[in-house]
Amino acid sequence: MALAEITARLRAAEKAAGRAEGSVTLIAVSKIQPSPRVEAVLDQGQRVFGENYVQEAAFKWPTWRAKYAGVKLHMIGPLQSNKTKVAVDLFDAIHSVDRPSLAERLANLANARGASPDIFIQINTGEEPQKAGILPQQADDFIAACRAMFLPVVGLMCIPPDEQDPVPHFKMLAQIAARNGVEGLSMGMSSDFELAVAHGATHIRVGSAIFGARNVVART
Ligand SMILES: *Cc1c(COP(=O)(O)O)cnc(C)c1O
């Protein structure tokens, strides 16, 4: 079974990296997956899931949350400002905080509710124009600004450029985190999570290796 295999590979990667067993959180990325596949993984005990689209997650997860205790949801896709309110009510963590206006909205909502999801700041380590994220050279200022708004910054997140060696990107993210005293590192996907663990990932985001290939046509 794919979940058991990925979990076993994760435990082996932790061990190889001299990391404590269970110190890396496996986020099962369930976006656009057919419900029976997600339910199978819930039935096997997985409780931490990642989603990319607020509306899709808001549609799917209330039923599963009622049925399975202890589900934690992580928002890993780009977050549009007009969906921020729904997102903070739904998600336990947001990995895609990538601009000052979004941070301000999140801070205002946190103030009003007296609680905030865990905040990860997305860094555009490859400086790709089409990709979301704070540029590396602006990361220190942005982290400080988020902290000044009392947002609970627990980690940094990156999505390395396609078809490039991800290791320099993992290293860069770890360096930015270390010099800012940020503990969490959300990095590593189906194809490279073991490398990410070797470079300090605390959260890996694995979709297709657990659930199978996504049918992109099914999204809308
Ligand atoms: C879809 C997605 C993943 C999971 O990708 P896989 O290659 O299926 O493991 C991880 N992170 C982000 C940000 C994603 O959008």
Side-chain angles (χ1 to χ4, degrees), residues 74-131:
H74 292 240
M75 172 62 179
I76 63 170
L79 181 52
Q80 292 168 254
S81 298
N82 63 352
K83 305 226 169 89
T84 317
K85 170 108 178 49
V86 180
V88 299
D89 288 337
L90 186 63
F91 290 101
D92 300 286
I94 297 177
H95 291 234
S96 46
V97 178
D98 62 355
R99 57 193 188 277
S101 61
L102 178 59
E104 277 160 33
R105 262 175 198 263
L106 289 166
N108 288 339
L109 287 164
N111 249 329
R113 308 161 78 238
S116 170
D118 285 343
I119 299 295
F120 289 74
I121 292 169
Q122 184 173 350
I123 309 292
N124 187 355
T125 56
E127 304 191 30
E128 297 172 277
Q130 83 286 5
K131 203 167 265 176

Side-chain angles (χ1 to χ4, degrees), residues 29 31 52 76-77 157 159 188-191 205-209 214:
V29 178
K31 64 176 178 222
N52 284 59
I76 63 170
M157 181 271 237
I159 308 170
M189 318 201 331
S190 289
S191 58
R205 311 179 307 265
V206 180
S208 45
R214 285 178 291 273

Side-chain angles (χ1 to χ4, degrees), residues 44-211:
Q44 290 167 73
Q46 175 69 23
R47 287 296 178 268
V48 185
F49 290 84
E51 290 284 347
N52 284 59
Y53 311 104
V54 174
Q55 261 160 319
E56 183 193 348
F59 178 74
K60 297 192 302 192
W61 279 98
T63 322
W64 286 330
R65 272 191 154 144
K67 184 167 172 201
Y68 298 90
V71 165
K72 299 284 181 201
L73 283 185
H74 292 240
M75 172 62 179
I76 63 170
L79 181 52
Q80 292 168 254
S81 298
N82 63 352
K83 305 226 169 89
T84 317
K85 170 108 178 49
V86 180
V88 299
D89 288 337
L90 186 63
F91 290 101
D92 300 286
I94 297 177
H95 291 234
S96 46
V97 178
D98 62 355
R99 57 193 188 277
S101 61
L102 178 59
E104 277 160 33
R105 262 175 198 263
L106 289 166
N108 288 339
L109 287 164
N111 249 329
R113 308 161 78 238
S116 170
D118 285 343
I119 299 295
F120 289 74
I121 292 169
Q122 184 173 350
I123 309 292
N124 187 355
T125 56
E127 304 191 30
E128 297 172 277
Q130 83 286 5
K131 203 167 265 176
I134 298 287
L135 292 172
Q137 58 274 17
Q138 290 163 5
D140 297 0
D141 286 347
F142 187 69
I143 293 165
C146 288
R147 285 173 165 161
M149 292 181 231
F150 302 105
L151 284 173
V153 178
V154 304
L156 305 182
M157 181 271 237
C158 75
I159 308 170
D162 290 340
E163 331 222 327
Q164 265 188 36
D165 179 3
V167 167
H169 299 275
F170 296 157
K171 285 185 172 164
M172 184 191 296
L173 200 70
Q175 276 167 7
I176 296 170
R179 72 170 180 251
N180 286 283
V182 175
E183 291 196 350
L185 289 172
S186 166
M187 58 190 198
M189 318 201 331
S190 289
S191 58
D192 56 17
F193 70 86
E194 283 139 324
L195 274 174
V197 170
H199 290 90
T202 61
H203 294 71
I204 58 171
R205 311 179 307 265
V206 180
S208 45
I210 293 175
F211 295 105

